[in-house]
Amino acid sequence: MQLGTRWPAGSEAPASVPAALRPAIAEVEARALRQAQGPRSWWTLTWLEGRPIAELDAGWEVFQDASGEVIARPFQD
């Protein structure tokens, strides 16, 4: 795994965040931050097997699967 970067939810994503993930990140923020209570959430961008994964510490992940499809979902146990 290659560590990427962190940024606060609700702010502009860094240039290192792939363009393919940005619309899904904005959609998650619209849903998750609207319901958020408490401290500000942060995104963490990492890379696994060459694919980007953005995780919001409020319980969401946005990633590209092997076929290139972007998936946004709550964390799964």
Side-chain angles (χ1 to χ4, degrees):
M1 186 184 316
Q2 173 187 348
L3 184 60
T5 189
R6 285 179 54 82
W7 73 98
S11 65
E12 185 174 345
S16 59
V17 175
L21 297 186
R22 290 172 182 265
I25 288 171
E27 184 179 323
V28 167
E29 288 183 347
R31 278 192 249 163
L33 297 182
R34 178 178 35 193
Q35 301 167 4
Q37 297 176 0
R40 188 173 198 178
S41 296
W42 286 77
W43 287 98
T44 302
L45 174 69
T46 55
W47 298 82
L48 182 61
E49 297 178 358
R51 292 192 303 266
I53 302 169
E55 295 180 334
L56 181 62
D57 58 16
W60 285 82
E61 62 185 351
V62 176
F63 62 95
Q64 277 186 296
D65 67 10
S67 70
E69 180 182 359
V70 175
I71 298 170
R73 66 182 184 197
F75 289 149
Q76 297 182 346
D77 295 331

